[in-house]
Amino acid sequence: MPKNFKANITENILLNEHFRLLNLSPLSDIIVPEPGQFYMLRTGDTYDPLLKRPFSIFRHEDNTLKFLYRIRGKGTLSLSNLKSGDIIDVIGPLGNSYSAPEGDFIAIAGGIGIASLLPLLRRFKKRAYLFYGARNKDELIMLNEARSLSKEIFITTDDGSEGEKGLITDSLSDFLNPSRITHYALPIYACGPTPMLKELSKVVAEYPSSLLPLNKGRMGGVKCYVSLEEHMACGVGACLGCVVKTVSGYKRVCKEGPVFDIEEIVWE
Ligand SMILES: Cc1cc2nc3c(=O)[nH]c(=O)nc-3n(C[C@H](O)[C@H](O)[C@H](O)COP(=O)(O)OP(=O)(O)OC[C@H]3O[C@@H](n4cnc5c(N)ncnc54)[C@H](O)[C@@H]3O)c2cc1C
Ligand code: FES
């Protein structure tokens, strides 16, 4: 089945000042996406911006593809102005996906990173300890659904308007504290801004495999997978515009990612 297709916009719902939910009805048969995969969406019918923009699949149901997006710049602003009935060009699903957790797991979302993780939480209901951080209460988008799908939820905001005031990585660090031995064994799935992921790499590095009595024999400590949100141009591996430095050379986020083992990335 081709990955290039046209889709009809059925809804482009304003959730609040910053966020929208885009519902697309593909005009041809499509490949079913996996949690963590993404699509390149044409954001308007002019050539400005020229390039499509990448968005994680937020939900796929009844042959509708749903995307949760934050308005940031030209492309997302242009996307927010599209109306039901408009037709857009789409490529996807692209990239790899989150590996399936065997039991309970930890999910850590920073802001709009929740869009990429909710499909995983929906597939493995009530198995995630969700750590969800945002700038403020209004930016904790889809909080009710996130709460209902989680085994337990931990919330932080920068201004303390909801949950604890502070960084979500600090909250995770407390949770992983050595006195709560069972938590070391849980795999972690993360999506959010690069500073959050970089901080997460430091938290994870504090838990070497020698501290993992439940995971004897596993190399590298807490297993953690991160979805990276690099700028993309082609989205299909051709332009090298999205490369990241890894311990085994440069890799393309759109092709070898967007999900990587956190230990593979060279955090600079
Ligand atoms: C695999 C992947 C999945 C994504 N999924 C989602 C999603 O589900 N929902 C969502 O809202 N966004 C998602 N993004 C980010 C989204 O693609 C960008 O916000 C969008 O491309 C911005 O386009 P723009 O033209 O509006 O902004 P631009 O005019 O291109 O940029 C505006 C500002 O945002 C910054 N910016 C742009 N793109 C990125 C980026 N990728 N990472 C960090 N900063 C950036 C720019 O530096 C600039 O400061 C994803 C990105 C990737 C790579
Ligand atoms: S965006 Fe072109 S290679 Fe990744």
Side-chain angles (χ1 to χ4, degrees):
M1 238 176 284
K3 288 192 174 179
N4 283 275
F5 59 92
K6 288 188 184 298
N8 183 21
I9 295 181
T10 51
E11 282 180 301
N12 197 2
I13 305 164
L14 179 74
L15 300 174
N16 68 26
E17 189 193 342
H18 302 294
F19 297 96
R20 282 193 176 242
L21 180 65
L22 178 73
N23 295 349
L24 299 181
S25 175
L27 300 182
S28 52
D29 288 343
I30 56 159
I31 300 167
V32 174
E34 288 296 312
Q37 287 194 294
F38 71 96
Y39 289 77
M40 297 296 289
L41 304 184
R42 180 87 185 274
T43 58
D45 54 9
T46 68
Y47 286 101
D48 186 24
L50 177 64
L51 301 170
K52 294 186 177 68
R53 296 291 195 256
F55 298 94
S56 306
I57 183 65
F58 169 66
R59 190 188 268 270
H60 172 240
E61 62 178 5
D62 304 331
N63 206 35
T64 300
L65 297 170
K66 301 189 178 191
F67 299 92
L68 187 61
Y69 66 97
R70 183 191 173 94
I71 302 171
R72 296 187 75 131
K74 229 179 208 180
T76 43
L77 186 62
S78 160
L79 191 64
S80 73
N81 289 325
L82 296 179
K83 309 253 174 313
S84 14
D86 288 344
I87 306 285
I88 61 167
D89 292 322
V90 182
I91 311 177
L94 298 169
N96 62 2
S97 55
Y98 295 114
S99 58
E102 279 173 22
D104 291 345
F105 62 99
I106 292 170
I108 171 162
I112 192 66
I114 196 73
S116 160
L117 288 164
L118 274 176
L120 191 70
L121 268 67
R122 261 184 230 114
R123 184 168 291 183
F124 302 103
K125 286 188 185 64
K126 297 282 183 193
R127 279 170 45 180
Y129 293 92
L130 175 64
F131 290 78
Y132 188 8
R135 290 180 207 169
N136 57 51
K137 192 178 177 187
D138 294 339
E139 306 218 354
L140 285 165
I141 208 78
M142 298 288 162
L143 182 57
N144 288 342
E145 188 186 7
R147 200 188 297 276
S148 72
L149 292 169
S150 305
K151 190 180 174 86
E152 204 173 336
I153 186 166
F154 302 83
I155 296 167
T156 61
T157 47
D158 295 352
D159 65 358
S161 51
E162 180 89 34
E164 293 278 311
K165 183 175 181 179
L167 298 178
I168 198 63
T169 42
D170 289 344
S171 184
L172 176 71
S173 188
D174 291 345
F175 182 79
L176 292 175
N177 186 292
S179 63
R180 303 175 77 170
I181 266 170
T182 48
H183 294 156
Y184 305 164
L186 304 176
I188 301 175
Y189 299 83
C191 187
T194 306
M196 181 196 97
L197 300 181
K198 199 170 170 182
E199 210 43 49
L200 179 63
S201 72
K202 292 181 199 157
V203 173
V204 168
E206 284 174 27
Y207 295 89
S209 47
S210 56
L211 281 179
L212 290 169
L214 300 178
N215 278 333
K216 276 191 189 129
R218 193 172 68 189
M219 302 294 286
V222 171
K223 207 67 199 155
C224 179
Y225 304 93
V226 290
S227 179
L228 303 183
E229 296 202 344
E230 280 300 312
H231 293 265
M232 287 184 182
C234 72
V236 293
C239 73
L240 304 184
C242 64
V243 292
V244 283
K245 197 170 177 182
T246 75
V247 290
S248 47
Y250 284 96
K251 291 198 176 166
R252 297 163 298 181
V253 172
C254 68
K255 204 72 184 172
E256 285 82 33
V259 181
F260 291 89
D261 187 324
I262 200 164
E263 294 181 357
E264 211 187 328
I265 304 297
V266 178
W267 301 96
E268 293 178 315

